[in-house]
Structure formats: structure tokens, C-alpha cells
Amino acid sequence: MAQAPDPTGDPQFVTPETGLTAAQVAERVASGRTNDTGSATSRSVWEIVKANVFTRFNAILGALFVLILATGSLADGLFGVVLVVNSGIGIVQEYLAKRKLDRLALLNAPTTRVVRDGQVVEIPTIEVVADDLIELRTGDQVPADGELLAATGLEINESNLTGESDSIPKAAGDKVMSGTSVVAGTGRFPAAAVGPHAYANKIAAEAKKFTKTHSEIQSSVNTLLKYITWVVIIALPLQIWSQYRVIGDQGWREVVIRSTGGLVGLVPEGLVLLTSVAFLLAAVQLTRQQVLVQELPAVEGLARVDVVCLDKTGTLTVGDIIFEDLLPLDAYDENDLRAALGALADDPNANGTLKAVADAVPAPSGWNRRTTIAFNSARKWSAATFEDARGTWVMGAPDVLLSDDDPIRGKVSELAATGRRVLLLSNTDAALSGQELPAGMVPRALVVLAEQVRPDAKDTLDYFKEQGVAIKIISGDNPTTVAAIARRVGLEFDDDGFVDARTIGEDAEELREIVEKTTVFGRVSPEQKRALVNALKMNGHVAAMTGDGVNDALALKDADIGVAMNNGAQATKAVAQLVLLDGKFSHLPSVLAEGRRVIGNVERVANLFVAKNVMSLIAIVSAAVASMPFPFLPRHLTLVSALTIGIPAFFLALGPNKRRYVPGFLKRVLRFAVPSGVIAGVVVLVSYLLAKNEPALKALEASGQCRAPEGGTAILNTVCWHPGTAATIALMTTFFWILIVLARPFRMWKAGLIAALILLTILAFWLPMAREFFNFEISSTLLWESLLVGAVGAVLVEIVYRTAPAMRAAQNA
């Protein structure tokens, strides 16, 4: 028996009987020579905390919060509590999602059989070490690279590497590669290359370089944050200067409080949080449907996809062949033909084809084998001689068993054109001798096999067609076979709609024209798969790629969204953003629906936050130009933000939303939110100036009774609170209408939510304790004036909405 020397210099050898000892395993683990590539499903706890706490806007709000604390006006520091709560919610949500995703990834982690200390044990694949003696059985995935020490009837499916679906027989001394799978037989080999050094993981590592899933939402939000950062930088000195100029004689505390009120309004403290939470909860929701989201933006990404590239094997088909029919070629009795076929398939060393036949055709009684020749991919046939004058039966490839001019070839070609695999069943009275075909064979029947089409494939493809998503089949198999299977699942295309990729190039630029007009590509190399995906992207498409083989890994990496099957190669799953844990292609519509929900809802939320930011900027500039105090205390804007933005945004971001994806997220947000924010800012200015012109208030200000006492922040005469109260009432009236506009189309839960928030607002102005806390006081006349100003603002917001067809179309899509 062959032996493999231990490359570490260990005097012991790896043999097919004993494998490594516990001490040898420990030494390799200590030196890091394991199959663990270090990939993680989610961020670490520290990364989660850092991402949710250490942000530019948390830094701004934190600094403002410290300044407010220094003034002693704790009521105006409520935004600091909101800051902590927002970060806390984000940390808790992501941590809970992390636990669930990590647990799910662990449950779906692959295992491998190894021989250690002479015993066969099953361990997680990541715990395989260099030189581990790996035992392969039918159905296993090869976890490492190496050279076989022993093999019995071993056949390896290397389609993950090559795209070819035919299995390859292996013998002792042959190489096996990670990412391939065992379809028949057994074997043992020492792991020569593990972890990042294994072939499949090298491809995965190459594919993972410099990749980051593009998210229109995150990109748009980041653009907004960049703009807002510059606005804050510009507004900060303006706000401080204007408030010092107007109320500087009241002391630094009043300047800080009024300045903070405007700056807090410029910070969209919950926008990033709610975007992240929406992604996270969508990911957790999808895990219930057996979809593992490895990169959160992929949830949104699939909703933007307008072309899906599918690998035939593992996506449209299960990957297994099934017996479909037995077609007699002469007057030979069909029952006898089925008996002979069942007997021939009743082979203890059956390959995949014979197993498919055996599953459908039962073995007859009384058929005893005398001689057997097992199938070999080189000779392309198998045979058996049976006792009791039943003769010899041979099954194999028609092109090997038939003469060139045999008319049966025409029938074979017709069936092959429909995507079937056709074998010829022949018999003779001559016995088998050696490895040669016996003489006098007579063709008796055609054995028709077919790849098992996934039962959910047609419905899923029909769904994508309804949604305007184009389908491209990109496979390593014969283009005629692939085209036939594509037609079986409902794809429509003419005879020019499929092509043999060996006749086209590998340069993405050269493929841009053909990729648009062609539906099916066969005999595609891994490099061509990648080039075809890039050609689609060059043509302006958002492309998704599904696959299960290592040969799909680079294409999945370059696609906007990569979707892998859980029974596929580990390298492919490592590259993909989404993994279908139960391998069901039918889950993709659910992912698309979740992406639509996230996109639509985050757009609503972004409108609310941006409108508030614009309103605050208008108020800051107006206060500076009009030489007046900033209209709000920080506590006023905290109330406005909580009841018209923060709380409703949280529910709107997580609610159902089935609208189709419409490009132009940022443009639509700015098109509605900027003019709405300007309207709200003007409403604030008008209502504040109306209140400032009250005769009673003017008299109090002239006498100095509306000044805060030295060293304090409380103004005892409540008439002095009228301007801030009036501005808050008018602003909330307008902002509630902005919320109503963005909540369309209405559902009962949305109506109930808005009604509850309006009730809370009324209580804030009506309850004595709340009025005192917020410094709210207003005359009946001024109340109606403020409501009227706010209502005018609401009407103008409605006009903005109705004159923005792109936004209404997106909302109602």
C-alpha cells in the first residue's frame, strides 16, 4: 500500500489504515495548518459597537449634549437620551441578528470523515488539518487537495471546477481537488493543501478581494450625510454668531441652548440606524425562509436586479438524472426489456446512471449474474452476462455501440435535441470475455434519461418574467441540451437564442452585443462566465448570478448579487452574498420582496429626516437674517423629531411594502424633502413672527421680563413662551402632513399609528406637567393662527407631492 511522507518531517507516516495521531493533529492545529479560512458570517461584537457608537453625527450630538449639560438645562438635553437609545437599539438588533446568523451558519457547516488513531471520525470541515487522512464516500464534498492512496470504484464530479457534468473515474495516485464531489465509490487521501492553500479556497480568496456589495440606499444615504456634514460645518459658526448677537447679553447659557436647538435639528441621528435595522431585520426574516444573508446590502441589491444569470446544474436542475422512458426498437417484449434493464441496474458498484435506472425499474427475480463489466467513462458502456440462457446485456452510449450509418442514430439525435440523455440497450447470446464488446449484439431499446428539473424553477422564472427581469442561462454543458432544458422550464427564445461559448471570445467588451440578444450560453468556461456578467454590467444592467460550483465563483464575485446553493462548493458559498440553505431557487422572489420593502421604506424615512434638516437650516438662516433668537429650544425639536419623525420612521421602515424598485432614490428624496423642508422652515418663521408681534409679549420684552435670570434658564412669565409654542404647533401641523403624504398608500396600522402620535402631541400641549416641562403656553387666538399657518404649509406640501410624478409613481408602484 502506498504511503505519503509527512512534509513536516515527522518520522511517522500517513497510511490508509491509521491516519494521524492526536499529537500530530495538535501540532498542526498549533501551527495554524487547519482548513479554517477565517471567514465570518457577521461582524464581531466590538465591530458592532464601534459601528453604532463611533459615528460623525454621534460625535456632533455628543459634544452638543455635553454643552447642554454644562448649562444645567437638563430638559434640553433629551436628544442625548435619544442618542444613547438609538445606538443601543442598533447594537442590540445587530447582536441578536449576529447570534441568529452565526448559529444558522454553524448548523449548516459541512463535515468531513477523517481517519485518526486508526478510527474513522466525523469532524467539521474547518477542523481538518494538513496530512489528515480523509475518507471519501458517495455524496461527500472533497474538502482539501491531495493524491489518492486508495480508491474503489471512485468517481468524482468536477463540474464545480470545469462546468462539465460528467463524472471522472479516479484511481490510486490520481489527484483530487477541493470543491469537487463524490458521485460513486470510496477513497482515501492525505490532505496536501488545506485552508487558504486549497484550490477552491484560493479561488474564493481571489474572488473576495476588493469586493463590497453596492447598495443604492447606503450610497445615497452616505451622499446625504456628506452634504449634511458640510451644512453643519457652515451652519455652526453662523448659528453661534447670530445667537450671540441677539441674546448674548442674557449670558452664555442662553446662547448655547438656542444654538444647540438649531444644530440638533441638522443632524439625522436616526437615519443610519433605521437603515441598518431595516437591513438586519430583513436578513433575519429571510433566515426563516432558509436564505442566509452574508452581506446585508444584498437584501436591497436583488430588488434592483434586472437580469439574472443562472447556471443550469443546481439551479434549473437538481443535478441528478432520472429514468424517463424505455423505447423498444423491435418486437422484443417490453416486459422482458424492463426485466433485463432492472437486472443490469441491480449492480452493487452502480454508477450514477445505473442508480437512476434502479430507482425507477425494480430488479427482477431469477436473474443471476455470471460476469460483469463495470461502466468506464473511457469505454462508455457497462455489461453483464446472466445465467439460464438469458444472454448478455449491454447498455452504453449509442455513438459507441452503433455503426455510423445505423438509422437508430436519427432517433437518438431527436431525443438528445430535447435535452434528454439517451443510452442504447442491446443484447447478444455471446458471453462476455475480457473487456471487449461481445459479438452479435442486437439493439433492443433506447433508455431515455433526463436531468431532474427543479419543481420550483418554472414558477420562479415566470415570476421574474412578470417583474421585467431578464434571464440568461450560462452553463458549461452542451448548448443544445441546456437550451432544451431552458424551454422545459418555460423560457422562450428562437434558434438564434442559444450559442456555443467556444465560438465566442472571453473579453467582456467583445461580448456586450451578443449577451443582449442571446438567452442560453453552453460550453462556457469560468473566465467566460465572469466576462458575460461584466458585459451585462457594462451595458447598464444590474446583474445577479446563481451557481454552485467553484467555476462559478469568479462570476458570482463580479455580479452585483451572487447567490449560491448550500449544496454547492464551499468556495462558491464563501463568495456569494446570499446562500439558499435548502437549495430552493423559489426563495429568490421572497428576497426580492424583502429588498423592495427595505428600499421603499427607507426612502420614506429619508424624506422625513431630510425635510427636518432643511427646515432647521432655513430656521437658522432666518434667525440670523432677522436678528432674532432661534425659534426653538432643543426640547421642542426633540418632541417634533420623536413624534413626527423618529417613532413613525421606525414603524414605517419595518412595515410591509411591495412596490417595485424604481431607480433614482436620492433624486426623489431631494425632489420632495427639500421643498417640503423649505415650506416647514417658512411656516416656523411666519408663526414665530406672528407670536413675537403680540402686544402683551412686546410689552414684557420691553420691560426685560422675558430674559432668563443670571445663572439660570427658567423664564417665569409664561407669555414669553408663546413664540416657541406657536412655532412648534405650526411645525408639527405641517410635519404631520408630510408624514401622512409619505405613509401613502394608507393601511389601518398606519392610520392608527398617526392617530396615536397626534394624540400624544395634543397631550404634550394640554397636560399641565407636559406644558411646564416643554415651556408650552399659548393664547387661543394665537393657537388658531398657528394651526392655520401650519395648515397652509400642509397644503403646500400636498402640492409639492402632487407635482412630483416620479415620487408618486415610485410610491404607488
Side-chain angles (χ1 to χ4, degrees):
M1 189 69 71
Q3 293 180 328
D6 185 343
T8 62
D10 194 303
Q12 299 192 46
F13 289 88
V14 179
T15 72
E17 289 78 26
T18 62
L20 296 177
T21 65
Q24 289 173 317
V25 171
E27 182 272 326
R28 286 158 175 77
V29 171
S31 61
R33 298 171 64 209
T34 70
N35 216 27
D36 188 359
T37 59
S39 59
T41 306
S42 58
R43 295 192 288 192
S44 68
V45 175
W46 168 242
E47 288 173 330
I48 291 172
V49 172
K50 187 168 60 173
N52 283 276
V53 174
F54 300 106
T55 67
R56 73 181 82 178
F57 291 115
N58 278 4
I60 293 171
L61 287 175
L64 295 176
F65 180 62
V66 171
L67 287 175
I68 288 293
L69 290 181
T71 68
S73 180
L74 297 181
D76 289 313
L78 281 178
F79 67 88
V81 177
V82 175
L83 176 70
V84 174
V85 171
N86 276 349
S87 296
I89 290 173
I91 292 169
V92 171
Q93 290 280 15
E94 187 166 353
Y95 176 69
L96 293 177
K98 167 188 167 60
R99 288 184 58 190
K100 186 174 184 65
L101 294 173
D102 287 351
R103 186 163 56 247
L104 194 59
L106 182 62
L107 290 174
N108 287 277
T111 60
T112 298
R113 296 180 194 85
V114 297
V115 181
R116 290 179 177 175
D117 291 317
Q119 301 294 319
V120 178
V121 294
E122 191 167 325
I123 61 173
T125 299
I126 63 171
E127 294 182 9
V128 171
V129 300
D131 308 317
D132 241 331
L133 186 57
I134 297 169
E135 180 171 286
L136 299 176
R137 300 181 190 175
T138 302
D140 289 350
Q141 191 170 60
V142 181
D145 302 344
E147 186 175 302
L148 288 165
L149 296 181
T152 304
L154 184 66
E155 292 184 23
I156 301 289
N157 185 329
E158 297 184 346
S159 61
N160 278 346
L161 304 181
T162 65
E164 297 282 355
S165 58
D166 293 334
S167 57
I168 308 298
K170 297 287 185 178
D174 290 343
K175 292 185 180 298
V176 289
M177 305 292 283
S178 57
T180 59
S181 57
V182 180
V183 296
T186 60
R188 287 185 177 184
F189 74 96
V194 296
H197 305 293
Y199 176 76
N201 290 331
K202 283 182 180 178
I203 291 183
E206 173 66 23
K208 292 292 275 188
K209 286 181 182 177
F210 311 110
T211 60
K212 185 176 182 181
T213 303
H214 172 72
S215 163
E216 183 183 4
I217 288 178
Q218 289 187 332
S219 176
S220 299
V221 168
N222 288 338
T223 301
L224 280 174
L225 296 181
K226 182 173 67 175
Y227 292 157
I228 292 168
T229 299
W230 283 108
V231 169
V232 171
I233 292 173
I234 295 170
L236 177 61
L238 175 64
Q239 173 76 336
I240 295 174
W241 170 77
S242 68
Q243 296 309 293
Y244 178 79
R245 187 164 61 105
V246 175
I247 57 175
D249 58 342
Q250 297 184 30
W252 68 272
R253 289 181 174 83
E254 193 66 19
V255 173
V256 168
I257 292 171
R258 290 287 175 174
S259 298
T260 300
L263 295 171
V264 167
L266 288 175
V267 180
E269 64 275 3
L271 180 56
V272 177
L273 167 71
L274 286 174
T275 302
S276 300
V277 169
F279 278 147
L280 280 167
L281 295 188
V284 172
Q285 175 66 23
L286 287 172
T287 61
R288 300 191 181 102
Q289 301 176 51
Q290 295 298 297
V291 179
L292 179 61
V293 180
Q294 302 198 114
E295 292 185 40
L296 294 179
V299 175
E300 170 225 334
L302 194 62
R304 295 186 291 107
V305 163
D306 61 359
V307 58
V308 176
C309 303
L310 306 174
D311 182 29
K312 173 184 69 67
T313 306
T315 304
L316 296 183
T317 63
V318 176
D320 299 329
I321 57 173
I322 57 173
F323 173 80
E324 189 173 274
D325 204 358
L326 180 66
L327 303 178
L329 296 173
D330 57 16
Y332 204 98
D333 184 76
E334 185 172 348
N335 290 329
D336 289 342
L337 285 174
R338 283 189 169 271
L341 184 62
L344 194 61
D346 185 27
D347 185 343
N349 295 313
N351 63 358
T353 300
L354 287 177
K355 286 178 181 177
V357 172
D359 288 340
V361 183
S365 58
W367 285 64
N368 299 315
R369 290 172 181 261
R370 181 185 301 163
T371 311
T372 298
I373 296 180
F375 176 84
N376 181 287
S377 59
R379 72 169 77 92
K380 296 186 178 180
W381 57 268
S382 62
T385 300
F386 297 93
E387 297 176 352
D388 300 330
R390 298 187 188 276
T392 297
W393 290 84
V394 179
M395 185 171 70
D399 59 328
V400 173
L401 301 181
L402 294 174
S403 62
D404 293 342
D405 58 352
D406 197 306
I408 297 174
R409 283 180 175 268
K411 180 66 173 176
V412 171
S413 297
E414 290 178 15
L415 291 168
T418 65
R420 270 71 174 180
R421 180 179 295 184
V422 184
L423 298 176
L424 180 68
L425 180 65
S426 303
N427 84 320
T428 178
D429 292 333
L432 289 170
S433 177
Q435 300 292 311
E436 301 298 323
L437 279 170
M441 288 194 304
V442 180
R444 298 297 186 185
L446 294 177
V447 180
V448 182
L449 302 163
E451 287 196 72
Q452 187 175 353
V453 174
R454 288 185 177 273
D456 54 5
K458 186 178 187 308
D459 290 342
T460 305
L461 293 183
D462 287 345
Y463 173 83
F464 280 124
K465 182 179 179 181
E466 293 170 4
Q467 302 302 315
V469 178
I471 299 294
K472 305 290 181 182
I473 310 297
I474 302 176
S475 174
D477 280 343
N478 183 290
T480 303
T481 302
V482 180
I485 290 174
R487 289 190 171 107
R488 283 170 60 190
V489 295
L491 286 182
E492 298 176 359
F493 49 90
D494 55 30
D495 291 340
D496 295 330
F498 65 95
V499 68
D500 188 326
R502 291 174 297 185
T503 65
I504 60 178
E506 294 185 359
D507 181 73
E509 186 65 39
E510 296 175 359
L511 297 174
R512 291 181 61 177
E513 182 178 350
I514 193 171
V515 78
E516 288 295 328
K517 64 183 182 181
T518 306
T519 301
V520 174
F521 297 84
R523 300 298 187 198
V524 184
S525 69
E527 291 75 18
Q528 282 179 313
K529 286 190 178 186
R530 186 181 200 179
L532 288 167
V533 167
N534 283 316
L536 287 168
K537 292 171 67 177
M538 287 178 182
N539 289 345
H541 293 288
V542 179
M545 174 76 193
T546 72
D548 60 355
V550 173
N551 63 314
D552 300 321
L554 294 178
L556 262 70
K557 174 256 181 183
D558 280 6
D560 294 287
I561 298 296
V563 183
M565 304 297 172
N566 195 44
N567 59 353
Q570 190 64 32
T572 309
K573 291 187 286 185
V575 171
Q577 287 90 10
L578 302 171
V579 179
L580 305 182
L581 296 175
D582 57 5
K584 290 184 178 178
F585 184 48
S586 57
H587 290 314
L588 288 186
S590 296
V591 180
L592 186 145
E594 280 297 315
R596 287 178 173 176
R597 185 183 66 77
V598 170
I599 288 177
N601 290 342
V602 171
E603 184 172 322
R604 299 180 196 272
V605 170
N607 274 291
L608 287 171
F609 282 102
V610 175
K612 184 196 75 167
N613 300 147
V614 174
M615 179 278 300
S616 296
L617 180 61
I618 296 298
I620 288 172
V621 174
S622 299
V625 172
S627 296
M628 67 181 192
F630 186 74
F632 303 110
L633 296 171
R635 70 191 79 172
H636 297 157
L637 282 183
T638 299
L639 180 68
V640 173
S641 295
L643 296 184
T644 66
I645 300 172
I647 295 173
F650 183 82
F651 287 98
L652 289 176
L654 305 181
N657 190 329
K658 296 182 179 180
R659 81 169 207 198
R660 288 194 181 190
Y661 165 72
V662 181
F665 174 94
L666 182 57
K667 184 178 180 180
R668 282 194 305 278
V669 168
L670 297 177
R671 174 69 180 79
F672 175 77
V674 171
S676 297
V678 170
I679 291 168
V682 173
V683 162
V684 167
L685 178 62
V686 171
S687 57
Y688 188 84
L689 291 177
L690 284 174
K692 289 286 283 185
N693 285 323
E694 276 189 312
L697 180 61
K698 281 188 172 182
L700 288 172
E701 288 184 335
S703 63
Q705 295 184 51
C706 286
R707 293 165 57 90
E710 188 66 31
T713 58
I715 299 174
L716 300 180
N717 197 318
T718 56
V719 175
C720 301
W721 299 350
H722 284 189
T725 306
T728 305
I729 290 173
L731 177 61
M732 295 197 80
T733 303
T734 301
F735 248 96
F736 267 120
W737 197 258
I738 293 175
L739 177 59
I740 289 170
V741 166
L742 294 174
R744 296 170 185 168
F746 265 110
R747 299 290 183 268
M748 284 301 297
W749 70 270
K750 292 180 184 177
L753 171 64
I754 294 173
L757 293 171
I758 291 174
L759 177 60
L760 287 174
T761 302
I762 293 171
L763 292 176
F765 288 94
W766 181 63
L767 292 176
M769 184 182 299
R771 288 207 315 268
E772 182 178 349
F773 179 82
F774 287 107
N775 282 13
F776 284 157
E777 187 66 40
I778 197 167
S779 65
S780 58
T781 301
L782 190 57
L783 170 63
W784 289 109
E785 285 181 354
S786 301
L787 289 172
L788 179 60
V789 172
V792 171
V795 171
L796 293 175
V797 166
E798 183 68 24
I799 292 173
V800 169
Y801 172 72
R802 291 183 181 275
T803 55
M807 179 183 175
R808 286 188 287 112
Q811 220 170 326
N812 297 320

